[in-house]
Amino acid sequence: MSAVTDRLPAFPWDKLEPYKKTAAAHPGGIVDLSVGTPVDPVPELIQKALIDAADSPGYPTVWGTPALRDAITGWLERRLGAREVTHRHVLPVVGSKELVAWLPTQLGLGPGDKVAFPRLAYPTYEVGARLARAEHVAYDDPTELDPEGLKLLWLNSPSNPTGKVLGKDELTRIVAWAREHGVLVFSDECYIELGWEADPVSVLHPDVNGGSYDGIVAVHSLSKRSNLAGYRAAFLAGDPAVLGPLLEIRKHGGMMTPAPTQAAVVAALGDDSHVREQRERYAARRAALREALTGHGFRIEHSEASLYLWATRDESCWDTVAHLAGLGILVAPGDFYGPAGDRFVRVALTATDERIRAAVERL
């Protein structure tokens, strides 16, 4: 096992434990704005779909039920403006994190191959490259990368941690560059329904891809938009020439979304009202936290979408973490997402209204 674990970085969240203890000792209790895990109830119609499918004694299929594939293709066309999406263009996955971590391995990448991701990024992109023994490289502008040996290019819009959104023109330029150099694009769009000061666009939109899905795949999750982090519900959409082999590999690996979860996803993707209600909750929390943070001397950068505020006091991120922990507020240090974040903290909107009010009062 050490041969595998030696390839991985130290698990960053362990470093936060002392600050969590400090925050938890606050007389009013901890306000945990670090991890970004949903706290609001799973919508009733989704719970009902899960319960109704609870009697599922047989093995589910990796590709999912036809109803699930219909729900995904319908949502892609209705919500993202994708066109001519068939069942061959979609693939359910067991939550998006396992896909990110194991994608380079499943693509057959290894030593000499390169995986690229944003300078400030979800740490699992790097972990996936390390697990496959591939090289990893961080970028500011992917079109400035050396395409030699570059096999997988991760995009992330809206960004975790910064909330930055890549505009339609920028996405179009990047997709064209990747195709010119034969680089496979995977676009992590898990926060696409949480735009605040921007309207995020998918690489699946015909204005971006010219009506072709060649060389592009989008990653989507129901964890945040439907509070389904505990269900492990996500899916891929894009190039069938990529998804077909991934389906075969995942069949061999038994990477099956449980049947009750599949039924829950059908219900979730068929209903937009619960997404609007959840957006309203997050919008109110975001407005309150943003005002409190700026009033406390923070500067907010980007953050035009997603579930986080990317905040700085122009000091070491760990000094900021310690300061807020003293107020009973736990946040994520920016260097968890790369050295470029060492003067920022990521503040999640995923706490109850009562806990958000407590944070605002303390700030």
Side-chain angles (χ1 to χ4, degrees), residues 120-134:
L120 285 164
Y122 184 46
T124 313
Y125 302 134
E126 178 181 335
V127 167
R130 287 175 175 269
L131 286 170
R133 295 189 177 90

Side-chain angles (χ1 to χ4, degrees), residues 203-222:
V203 294
L204 302 177
H205 196 287
D207 288 355
V208 172
N209 61 42
S212 167
Y213 300 116
D214 290 352
I216 57 172
V217 176
V219 182
H220 288 276
S221 168
L222 286 86

